[in-house]
Amino acid sequence: MKRVSDIPKLRSAWWEVGLQASVDAGIAGVAKALPRLIATAFRRAMAADRAGTIATIGITVTAGVMATLGLLTTQRVLIAVLSQGPTVERVEAAVPALLTLVVLTAVRGALGIASGWTQTRLEPRLRQQAERSLFEATTAVPLSAYDSEGFTDELERGSGRGVDAVWNVVRHAINLMAGVIGVIAAGAALAILHPLLPAALLAASVPEAWSALRAGGQRYREYLLGSIRRRRVWILTELMARRGSAAELRAYHLRDFLLRQYDVVMDAETAAQLRLARAVTATTTTGAIITGVCNAGVYGLLAGLLVTGHLPLAAAATAVVALQSARNSLHVATIYINELYADGRHLRDLEEFLTRARRLTPSGPAEPLMPPPFRTLRLDAVTLTYADRDRPAVDGVSLTIQAGQTVAFVGENGSGKTTLAAVLMGLRTPDRGTVWWDEHRLPDLDAGAVRAAFSAVTQDHWQWPFTAETNIRLGDLSVDGGRDPVEAAARAAVAHEMILDLPHGYATLLDRSFEGGQDLSGGQWQRLAAARGFFRDADLLIMDEPSSALDARAEAALFASVRARHGAKTTVLITHRLANVRHADVIFVLHEGRLVDQGTHAELIAGGGLYKTWYDLQKIGYTDA
Ligand SMILES: Nc1ncnc2c1ncn2[C@@H]1O[C@H](COP(=O)(O)OP(=O)(O)OP(=O)(O)O)[C@@H](O)[C@H]1O
């Protein structure tokens, strides 16, 4: 029976797309796309290090010119050595040319060192510039960008090999330039010797170049076909060799199942590698045979020219050296054309991602208003539908929140509470409707001022890999000074004692991948997230399920801190534990994206709607049967 993998079908990954394109494009496509890709990379290189880039190009060209001079000088040496007369005189005659050759060789050596040095300086600058432009884009795009079709794929494509590709394209282009200059130099030297020789060089070179490019194509094709298998192995690595899955793997005895999956994938991979080896060997063998025949023709031509007196012996010897040099350079050039095309695709991915990110990033109002603290926040017929969804997550919701109130959004899973909070904060832009900050539309206000007024403890809060203190300070990086405000926020979130119990208290690093780093329990992380929210002394604090992992005492203390804000600051609570919202000034009840009810706890219980149903269900759980 054919063994199949249980891992679901995978989407095409970024590098598969790139490789497929390069396979489809063939050799002609490679040649066509190269100049533009190289120009893009060099524009970036000039922006990162103008002097270094110019120096690198200058050195490569100079080294090529030196190679031509070297070949011509070699001919002078050979003419002197192969002429008639006593050996001593012939060697003496060759001395000036030999000295020139020594100098040229030394200069080429020095240029090689200089080229290495300039490239070493250029690489980190170019990488930093490319990586920074990527991070500038990823941190500026609106939240909704991450939901849009293909954005994450494009980001993965651009950030993975895209960043490396900028330097690689420059490096390969320089090497290609060196190879091409080498071929031209040898061709020029041959043309000086005899006009037929460059044509012979061309004839001898084509088969070799063809087989190298074709073998490159075959490798790409197999790489592409194998990419799904390799991604499956990566997924299996994540499952079999990571801390996150280690406990469940053991609890459910998944070891044999996963190892079997690995064998299925890798048996296919090994068979594919063998197929590739056979195909590449066939191509290179064919190329080598044709190249051999062509070379025999070239050397036959040389012999003919020599015998018929059209070429002196010294010139023929120089031609042999030049042909050898041309073939080496051509070999280099074909290698780098292949490399260039693979990396060129990745560079294009990066550029395409940056263009898309720029398009998605809003420019903001031309003259943003600096608002005074809000008196009311009002949602007016707000509707938001996520990119790939038919039904709106928030559907025509209108509501008003007064400054100083504590309000609650309640509703079943998926009823739109988190989405509504994101719209209220300006993190998501509604498709229809308006968010009003007093008499101003939210998008007309200064984005920095709006951000400063809002704080959010999100449901899926992030576990920042910093110390406990920094995890809290991230709530508002503009607050300088001592530990007091940090401890106050931690106390409000019932996190202070817990932090003091850590090995280094507030200085404890909360990431186990660092030396001395610690991990926290789910509830402890949630306390830190709440502390971060309190630390930002914002006019509006949104707390989305802030107590889902807290023990009873911590939960009670957290909501006591929330109640302490009442009157002075505004709070929006999102929670399923309705006992915690009994004190809210207004409870907004959401159902399938629509606002279906609102009022105080007492009003909603009296109204007998959905809220009462949920409240009674929870109450039963705490009542003796
Ligand atoms: N990024 C997203 N892309 C697509 N759909 C989304 C996205 N986020 C949420 N949704 C969908 O929008 C709807 C509302 O989700 P939302 O998270 O606002 O609900 P919620 O009331 O906060 O749910 P819960 O109580 O489970 O936290 C759901 O149907 C959800 O599947």
Side-chain angles (χ1 to χ4, degrees), residues 42-232:
F42 273 94
R43 260 199 308 279
R44 278 187 167 275
M46 290 291 273
D49 182 1
R50 197 181 163 78
T53 309
I54 294 173
T56 308
I57 296 172
I59 289 169
T60 308
V61 174
T62 314
V65 173
M66 292 289 157
T68 318
L69 293 178
L71 282 173
L72 295 175
T73 312
T74 304
Q75 187 194 7
R76 278 173 46 213
V77 173
L78 290 172
I79 289 171
V81 172
L82 299 176
S83 62
Q84 304 289 324
T87 307
V88 177
E89 278 176 24
R90 282 188 284 156
V91 171
E92 271 174 13
V95 165
L98 270 173
L99 285 177
T100 312
L101 209 52
V102 168
V103 171
L104 285 173
T105 309
V107 172
R108 278 189 74 184
L111 286 173
I113 294 169
S115 168
W117 163 240
T118 52
Q119 291 192 34
T120 312
R121 275 164 44 96
L122 191 54
E123 178 182 358
R125 292 180 183 180
L126 200 47
R127 161 169 270 287
Q128 183 180 356
Q129 183 228 48
E131 210 156 46
R132 196 168 205 287
S133 63
L134 181 88
F135 293 146
E136 282 171 5
T138 54
T139 49
V141 290
L143 192 53
S144 57
Y146 286 92
D147 300 327
S148 56
E149 180 72 25
F151 180 84
T152 322
D153 278 353
E154 274 187 29
L155 167 58
E156 206 176 273
R157 242 184 286 170
S159 62
R161 298 195 183 180
V163 167
D164 293 336
V166 182
W167 164 244
N168 283 343
V169 168
V170 169
R171 184 166 61 93
H172 300 331
I174 289 168
N175 287 327
L176 174 63
M177 196 194 299
V180 170
I181 291 175
V183 175
I184 294 172
L190 286 171
I192 293 169
L193 297 174
H194 194 281
L196 266 184
L197 288 174
L201 166 66
L202 195 67
S205 313
V206 168
E208 192 175 352
W210 166 84
S211 75
L213 291 175
R214 187 176 152 84
Q218 283 167 328
R219 284 195 195 97
Y220 287 146
R221 192 182 300 272
E222 201 48 55
Y223 187 70
L224 172 69
L225 295 177
S227 65
I228 301 277
R229 291 186 294 273
R230 280 187 296 279
R231 286 174 72 200
R232 283 169 188 264

Side-chain angles (χ1 to χ4, degrees), residues 147 386 388-389 393 412-419 459 576:
D147 300 327
Y386 285 107
D388 50 354
R389 294 298 180 101
E412 289 152 339
N413 292 131
S415 57
K417 305 179 297 291
T418 302
T419 309
Q459 203 172 10
H576 293 288

Side-chain angles (χ1 to χ4, degrees), residues 19 43 57 94 133 165 172 175 266 358 437 458 478 509 549 587:
L19 286 169
R43 260 199 308 279
I57 296 172
S133 63
H172 300 331
N175 287 327
M266 282 314 289
R358 267 192 294 275
W437 169 302
T458 58
S478 65
L509 191 55
I587 299 165

Side-chain angles (χ1 to χ4, degrees), residues 477-522:
L477 291 170
S478 65
V479 176
D480 294 329
R483 179 70 65 71
D484 288 353
V486 178
E487 289 191 5
R491 281 202 178 85
V494 223
H496 181 65
E497 306 295 336
M498 173 274 283
I499 294 172
L500 289 184
D501 278 347
L502 294 172
H504 306 287
Y506 278 84
T508 307
L509 191 55
L510 299 179
D511 189 327
R512 285 196 65 83
S513 43
F514 294 115
E515 202 178 311
Q518 300 287 319
D519 203 355
L520 299 179
S521 73

Side-chain angles (χ1 to χ4, degrees), residues 468-485:
E469 177 169 349
T470 306
N471 256 279
I472 297 175
R473 282 193 182 280
L474 290 178
D476 189 349
L477 291 170
S478 65
V479 176
D480 294 329
R483 179 70 65 71
D484 288 353

